[in-house]
């Protein structure tokens, strides 16, 4: 029962490794690190979801559920850097959007709890910024202006969430 949504975060860097690794001329190492991140991220996500279904999660940990969106959001950025086909990335985007819809239903409860514990609101900012970048990459690759507009809207929402998180965080200190 010690697995929390934060267990996913150590694998985030591995999923993003291709973004810098390809540019530095290390495609094989980038692909290997991505694979390690994908396997580790999937395994830790399964453990977190298992915990959610078999044990209750404390009120303090509920806003951390936004972190469950991190692997598919940044996984797409790593796949795009590796030159994966648009369809492979679209699968990750679909997983992210399904998670976003589920968390959107829970958002009022999560954010009202987050107001009392402002640092937990920051868990929503990173995956949403990654989704925005992914939509912009996919929209450019597919030459789809509606995807680019969606990416810009998500970026504006991520910026608004970040600004909303700054004020209570500042007050907490």
């Amino acid at each position: 029962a010690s697995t929390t949504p934060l267990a996913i975060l150590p694998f985030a860097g591995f999923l993003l490794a291709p973004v810098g690794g390809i540019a530095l001329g290390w495609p094989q190492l980038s692909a290997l690190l991505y694979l390690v991140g994908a396997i580790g991220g999937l395994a830790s996500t399964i453990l977190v979801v298992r915990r959610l279904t078999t044990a209750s999660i404390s009120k303090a940990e509920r806003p951390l559920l936004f972190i469950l969106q991190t692997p598919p959001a940044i996984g797409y950025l790593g796949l795009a850097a590796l030159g994966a086909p648009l369809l492979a990335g679209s699968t990750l985007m679909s997983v992210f959007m399904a998670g976003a819809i589920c968390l959107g239903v829970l958002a009022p409860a999560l954010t009202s709890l987050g107001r009392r514990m402002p640092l937990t609101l920051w868990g929503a900012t990173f995956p949403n910024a990654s989704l925005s970048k992914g939509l912009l990459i996919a929209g450019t690759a597919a030459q789809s202006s509606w995807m680019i507009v969606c990416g810009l809207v998500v970026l504006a929402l991520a910026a608004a969430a970040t600004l909303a998180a700054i004020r209570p965080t500042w007050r907490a200190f």
Side-chain angles (χ1 to χ4, degrees):
S2 63
T3 306
T4 69
L6 292 174
I8 294 169
L9 290 183
F11 301 102
F14 290 104
L15 292 171
L16 282 175
V19 174
I22 297 292
L24 294 173
W26 294 90
Q28 292 86 1
L29 181 60
S30 296
L32 176 65
L33 291 173
Y34 183 87
L35 182 62
V36 168
I39 293 170
L42 180 62
S44 60
T45 300
I46 290 170
L47 290 174
V48 169
V49 170
R50 181 177 173 267
R51 177 177 174 219
L52 291 173
T53 59
T54 59
S56 63
I57 187 166
S58 71
K59 286 187 178 184
E61 291 177 325
R62 287 181 191 159
L64 296 176
L65 293 175
F66 285 115
I67 293 172
L68 290 174
Q69 294 179 297
T70 301
I74 63 173
Y76 178 79
L77 299 180
L79 275 180
L82 287 170
L86 191 58
L87 181 62
S90 298
T91 305
L92 286 175
M93 284 294 195
S94 298
V95 169
F96 178 90
M97 295 307 283
I101 290 168
C102 291
L103 288 173
V105 170
L106 299 173
L110 296 176
T111 54
S112 67
L113 182 63
R115 284 190 202 100
R116 292 191 302 272
M117 296 175 295
L119 291 178
T120 58
L121 287 175
W122 291 97
T125 59
F126 180 67
N128 291 322
S130 299
L131 172 65
S132 172
K133 176 68 173 170
L135 286 170
L136 292 172
I137 290 171
T140 304
Q143 297 178 347
S144 171
S145 56
W146 74 268
M147 281 183 99
I148 293 172
V149 169
C150 286
L152 293 173
V153 168
V154 171
L155 180 61
L157 293 173
T162 302
L163 291 173
I166 288 173
R167 187 173 178 202
T169 303
W170 187 260
R171 286 184 180 181
F173 294 106

